[in-house]
Amino acid sequence: MERFLQYLFDGISQGSIYALLALGLVIIYRGSGHLNFAQGEMAMISAFLAWWYADLGLSPWLAVVVSAATAFVVAMGIERFVIRPIGHRSPFAVVVAAIGLFLGFNALAPFAWKVTIPEAFESLFPNEPDDFVRIGGAEWREQYIGVLAVLAITSVVLYLLFQRTRFGLAMRAVASNPESSPLVGIRTGQVLAVSWGLAAAVGALGGAMVASLRGNVDASMMFTIFFAATAAATLGGYDSLFGAVFGGLVLGVFENMAAGYQPDLVGQELKGVVSLLVILVVLLIKPSGLFGSQRVERV
Amino acid sequence: MPFRLAYGSPPHWALRALGALALAYVALSPAFKDLSPSEFGELTDIAVLALAALSLNLLIGFTGQISIGHSAFFGIGAYTLAILVSDHGWSPGWTYPVAAVVCFVVGVLVGIPALRLKGLYLALVTLALAQIFPALVRKFDELTGGSQGIGGLSYDAPGWTGLESGRRGRAEWMYWLALGTLLVGYVLVRNLVKSRVGRSMVAVRDNSTAAAVMGVHVAFTKTIVFGLSAALAGVAGCTFALRQTQTTPENVYLTILGAIVFLVIMVVGGAGSLMGPIVGAIVYYRVDQFSRELPDKSWLPESFRDFLVGRPNLATLVFALLLILLMFVAPFGLVGLAKRVGRRIVQVIPGAPTDPAAMPSEPTEVPIDVAEQPTV
């Protein structure tokens, strides 16, 4: 039981990070149907920004907030000046452009800050050896609880934004019917740009959480996490915000259980295989995910 | 007013022959030059990258299935060679067909679930493949040597080639091997694309539903192409392993970044163009090399050189920007751009230009990008 709880707590914490990244993927996908392959790298570069701002003298949390704001603005620009014009061409072109962004951001971090080895990142939560809560014999480290709290707050804020504000209504309208929403006076372009901004800001939080847990920032830190986030979003359904959070948490727990109970077969090394299996099984059985809406395709 | 040449007319043949001669010169000239082993090594790398991008072009450029996971097939090829050579004492040459078959089978196995997946979802699955391949290599360390990898791979030039033994002969032999596999891959892809299967590939790419209605066996075409593409990538991986003399899961070309590099080369060169991957590989490799040497160039301003010191990845940044820029100005890559410019000068038109009204206004190449179609 103790072991089970331990894996559960670790899984939930890991899953919170997947969920933050998956939220970003879903926010963008809902608006325009694009899968942002650069989501992970945008989060990585935001974490570098947070590290840099903190280095310049901002307090750690303020640095994270400012980096999220920077990510918001930059991502709006990317949507407006890169993705939207290319999106008129073909979906393939958008995928290539997103891969270009992936590659660009990945190369930018070492180039801009002259770092080739991981740089130390100050933990955002209490992180002394005895900073943990004991529940049923299992230890839940406070920094892990902190990450879960960040996810909870983000989810609530997003929920309120989508369900209780006029702009959120516009975003939902664009998601459900992009052709008709301009007819009722919604500025689709603005909505899409803000979607990218929001996704990048949420991703920036995710990136900061990863950096805080790792204790450093590194250009390759988001590879596996982004990949798990795509699995989480696939599981939850690409157009469901709730699905992204649910998928992230479930995947995190599932992965940790598999790695913990099958140390020889799965272990820490092959956690990624769990994500691959989840992607495959979901896509083959229920491609719209658990909470996504079915899309009817017309020929 | 551009020159117009009838397809198959003597001037057209002369033009093609000239192009073929130029290519042959570029490919064969190393035989007559006294190149150092490291220069042969560079050429080998280019040919390997070109073959990897060629395999991706078959899949993405001609069949429209996006893969961000070809580094995995590249790696499977490399490891097949490494394991057979170092554990079973095979001669490297015989491992090539085995690696091709292994990669073909894995490619088909990946391609079968991919049948139900379109576009982005397929990209996701292949991304997953690229992501877990190094992890699998580390996990099964009895077979693969884990993080240490497998070393000591080399391929001495066989006696019949008449190449000297030792480092220089080996380097030159590697180049001919890489060039030979590239040539075989090129001819294979060319013949495939111009055959009945090739036409069904393009039909699947442009509109798979319409293709199915017209009687194309979509599932068969997609799966076979996936397998063939994987096999070509695997063969490229074989030469790569020999050139590196070792394989490790840490090698960047065996990770997702490798898959992205192949994609970049293919797109920069020209998706859906036969020459594209080769042009792309040359451009990619040379620009990358040039950018590494930049801090030592004396003709650059001192301040700029100081700025560059200690900053890696300049070339990668340039290619990332180029990739995005190309999507705006030339979605068919450099070859597509060259064709567009060339068409202002010389137009090749089918048949003799007798009746102007019957002439097609613009010879169309197979577009990967459906720019003119209104998106609904």
Side-chain angles (χ1 to χ4, degrees):
Chain A
M1 187 62 193
E2 188 185 319
R3 212 167 137 205
F4 175 80
L5 277 179
Q6 189 66 58
Y7 294 149
L8 182 70
F9 293 158
D10 291 350
I12 287 176
S13 313
Q14 189 66 36
S16 314
I17 289 174
Y18 299 161
L20 281 173
L21 267 279
L23 273 174
L25 287 174
V26 166
I27 293 172
I28 288 177
Y29 187 87
R30 276 164 60 98
S32 54
H34 296 142
L35 179 56
N36 179 16
F37 279 97
Q39 181 74 24
E41 297 314 284
M42 281 159 66
M44 180 274 293
I45 209 92
S46 309
F48 264 88
L49 274 176
W51 163 77
W52 186 55
Y53 290 146
D55 208 41
L56 291 180
L58 293 185
S59 72
W61 274 104
L62 188 60
V64 171
V65 172
V66 178
S67 83
T70 317
F72 187 92
V73 175
V74 172
M76 275 181 74
I78 289 175
E79 196 283 332
R80 179 65 191 84
F81 296 110
V82 177
I83 302 296
R84 205 186 307 169
I86 290 178
H88 295 310
R89 285 185 171 275
S90 75
F92 175 75
V94 174
V95 173
V96 173
I99 287 172
L101 290 173
F102 178 107
L103 196 65
F105 283 126
N106 185 260
L108 183 64
F111 184 82
W113 286 287
K114 291 191 184 183
V115 292
T116 43
I117 50 162
E119 291 283 335
F121 190 94
E122 197 184 329
S123 178
L124 296 162
F125 304 101
N127 190 25
E128 295 304 315
D130 57 346
D131 280 332
F132 59 79
V133 180
R134 195 178 284 277
I135 302 171
E139 292 172 6
W140 202 349
R141 295 194 57 77
E142 282 176 16
Q143 55 170 350
Y144 288 144
I145 300 177
V147 173
L148 183 61
V150 167
L151 172 67
I153 295 168
T154 311
S155 309
V156 170
V157 169
L158 283 178
Y159 176 81
L160 292 177
L161 178 73
F162 273 91
Q163 302 295 333
R164 293 279 188 272
T165 67
R166 214 175 155 73
F167 197 80
L169 185 65
M171 291 180 89
R172 282 186 288 144
V174 172
S176 89
N177 196 335
E179 291 89 43
S180 308
S181 32
L183 302 179
V184 292
I186 293 170
R187 294 187 180 180
T188 321
Q190 204 181 43
V191 167
L192 291 182
V194 172
S195 303
W196 271 74
L198 265 183
V202 174
L205 285 180
M209 295 304 115
V210 175
S212 169
L213 292 187
R214 287 168 59 104
N216 60 39
V217 279
D218 182 42
S220 61
M221 68 186 203
M222 300 305 286
F223 284 2
T224 44
I225 291 167
F226 167 69
F227 159 57
T230 59
T234 312
L235 178 61
Y238 262 94
D239 53 359
S240 160
L241 289 166
F242 175 75
V245 176
F246 180 86
L249 293 177
V250 167
L251 183 70
V253 171
F254 193 49
E255 241 183 34
N256 256 290
M257 296 276 171
Y261 283 113
Q262 296 288 342
D264 298 325
L265 188 67
V266 183
Q268 294 300 316
E269 302 100 328
L270 288 195
K271 270 185 178 178
V273 175
V274 176
S275 303
L276 173 68
L277 288 179
V278 166
I279 291 183
L280 276 181
V281 169
V282 172
L283 288 183
L284 292 180
I285 295 174
K286 196 170 185 303
S288 55
L290 293 177
F291 303 99
S293 53
Q294 298 267 359
R295 295 218 166 188
V296 180
E297 209 172 312
R298 290 210 182 131
V299 179
Chain B
M1 185 68 191
F3 292 108
R4 291 206 156 141
L5 302 179
Y7 184 90
S9 66
H12 180 226
W13 275 108
L15 199 68
R16 292 175 112 186
L18 212 65
L21 274 178
L23 273 181
Y25 173 75
V26 171
L28 299 178
S29 59
F32 312 110
K33 289 189 207 154
D34 195 27
L35 295 183
S36 70
S38 64
E39 283 168 322
F40 272 118
E42 289 169 9
L43 294 174
T44 309
D45 284 340
I46 292 177
V48 166
L49 288 178
L51 184 57
L54 188 81
S55 75
L56 206 53
N57 198 12
L58 179 66
L59 191 68
I60 303 182
F62 290 109
T63 324
Q65 305 192 81
I66 299 174
S67 162
I68 320 178
H70 261 48
S71 59
F73 300 119
F74 194 73
I76 292 172
Y79 268 96
T80 308
L81 179 135
I83 291 166
L84 287 177
V85 169
S86 90
D87 292 357
H88 302 278
W90 284 40
S91 158
W94 291 107
T95 63
Y96 274 72
V98 179
V101 171
V102 170
C103 288
F104 181 84
V105 172
V106 178
V108 168
L109 288 180
V110 176
I112 289 172
L115 289 176
R116 284 201 56 181
L117 313 176
K118 279 181 190 165
L120 292 177
Y121 292 122
L122 179 60
L124 271 183
V125 173
T126 54
L127 174 82
L129 200 66
Q131 193 64 50
I132 64 167
F133 176 72
L136 284 173
V137 167
R138 286 195 195 94
K139 179 78 182 177
F140 296 102
D141 50 358
E142 280 157 31
L143 187 65
T144 61
S147 304
Q148 296 290 313
I150 300 173
L153 307 171
S154 71
Y155 195 6
D156 285 312
W160 54 264
T161 55
L163 295 171
E164 57 191 278
S165 58
R167 183 156 173 260
R168 193 179 174 284
R170 244 195 330 263
E172 190 169 353
W173 170 237
M174 282 317 311
Y175 172 66
W176 294 120
L177 196 65
L179 189 70
T181 49
L182 175 62
L183 189 70
V184 169
Y186 178 86
V187 171
L188 185 96
V189 171
R190 183 186 174 280
N191 289 352
L192 195 67
V193 166
K194 302 209 178 229
S195 72
R196 185 187 161 86
V197 180
R199 285 190 294 277
S200 44
M201 277 157 52
V202 173
V204 167
R205 177 192 73 190
D206 291 342
N207 189 335
S208 63
T209 315
V213 171
M214 287 189 293
V216 171
H217 200 321
V218 176
F220 176 80
T221 309
K222 280 187 170 180
T223 323
I224 289 297
V225 167
F226 215 110
L228 281 177
S229 169
L232 286 177
V235 167
C238 286
T239 318
F240 182 73
L242 286 174
R243 154 90 176 116
Q244 298 278 314
T245 71
Q246 58 164 354
T247 54
T248 70
E250 264 79 35
N251 191 301
V252 71
Y253 286 104
L254 270 53
T255 66
I256 177 157
L257 283 177
I260 290 182
V261 166
F262 302 153
L263 192 76
V264 168
I265 292 174
M266 187 210 66
V267 173
V268 167
S273 130
L274 284 166
M275 283 307 295
I278 299 171
V279 173
I282 297 173
V283 170
Y284 177 84
Y285 195 84
R286 291 303 180 200
V287 170
D288 186 44
Q289 198 180 28
F290 178 72
S291 77
R292 278 174 217 280
E293 291 163 1
L294 266 187
D296 305 325
K297 301 276 185 208
S298 54
W299 44 266
L300 276 174
E302 191 68 33
S303 55
F304 187 62
R305 274 189 288 157
D306 285 346
F307 172 78
L308 286 179
V309 169
R311 294 179 192 273
N313 299 345
L314 176 63
T316 318
L317 270 179
V318 169
F319 275 103
L321 289 177
L322 183 66
L323 205 61
I324 295 170
L325 192 70
L326 275 177
M327 287 300 107
F328 279 100
V329 296
F332 305 108
L334 295 176
V335 169
L337 198 65
K339 273 187 190 161
R340 207 196 293 169
V341 174
R343 222 176 282 136
R344 301 244 165 125
I345 307 165
V346 177
Q347 276 188 0
V348 177
I349 47 179
T354 45
D355 179 14
M359 275 192 299
S361 55
E362 181 85 335
T364 48
E365 64 193 19
V366 280
I368 184 157
D369 145 297
V370 279
E372 274 71 40
Q373 284 184 14
T375 44
V376 184

